[in-house]
């Protein structure tokens, strides 16, 4: 089942259960951030458009989860 981005107050978000990915338009640029379950910002960046912001947030999350899975015994 594919995950769906939901519309929030400031932009769009995707709650994965581990991280919350957010995109929003601020100061004439699309921005993205990845927030942990404890509401700490783990990563953030700027993209050319909303799809790029979503893609960058997903890519960062995928990289982190892949690295964590490789460390498992």
């Amino acid at each position: 089942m594919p995950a769906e981005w939901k519309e929030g107050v400031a932009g769009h978000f995707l709650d994965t259960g581990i991280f919350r990915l957010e995109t929003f338009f601020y100061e004439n640029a699309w921005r993205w951030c990845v927030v942990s379950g404890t509401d700490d910002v783990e990563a953030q960046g700027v993209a050319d458009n909303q799809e790029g912001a979503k893609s960058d947030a997903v890519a960062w999350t995928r990289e982190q989860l892949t690295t964590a899975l490789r460390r498992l015994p």
Side-chain angles (χ1 to χ4, degrees):
M1 182 169 134
E4 292 185 29
W5 288 82
K6 297 179 182 175
E7 192 166 341
V9 175
H12 290 84
F13 70 95
L14 174 66
D15 191 347
T16 68
I18 298 170
F19 293 117
R20 185 176 68 247
L21 289 62
E22 300 181 0
T23 64
F24 51 95
F25 194 75
Y26 179 71
E27 293 186 349
N28 295 321
W30 277 100
R31 300 171 187 277
W32 62 271
C33 67
V34 178
V35 182
S36 70
T38 58
D39 288 332
D40 295 321
V41 174
E42 300 293 332
Q44 58 188 341
V46 178
D48 293 331
N49 54 44
Q50 185 180 25
E51 289 306 313
K54 288 179 179 180
S55 177
D56 290 350
V58 169
W60 184 90
T61 303
R62 182 181 298 126
E63 180 181 331
Q64 298 304 306
L65 294 175
T66 299
T67 300
L69 288 172
R70 285 185 182 141
R71 291 181 182 157
L72 291 176

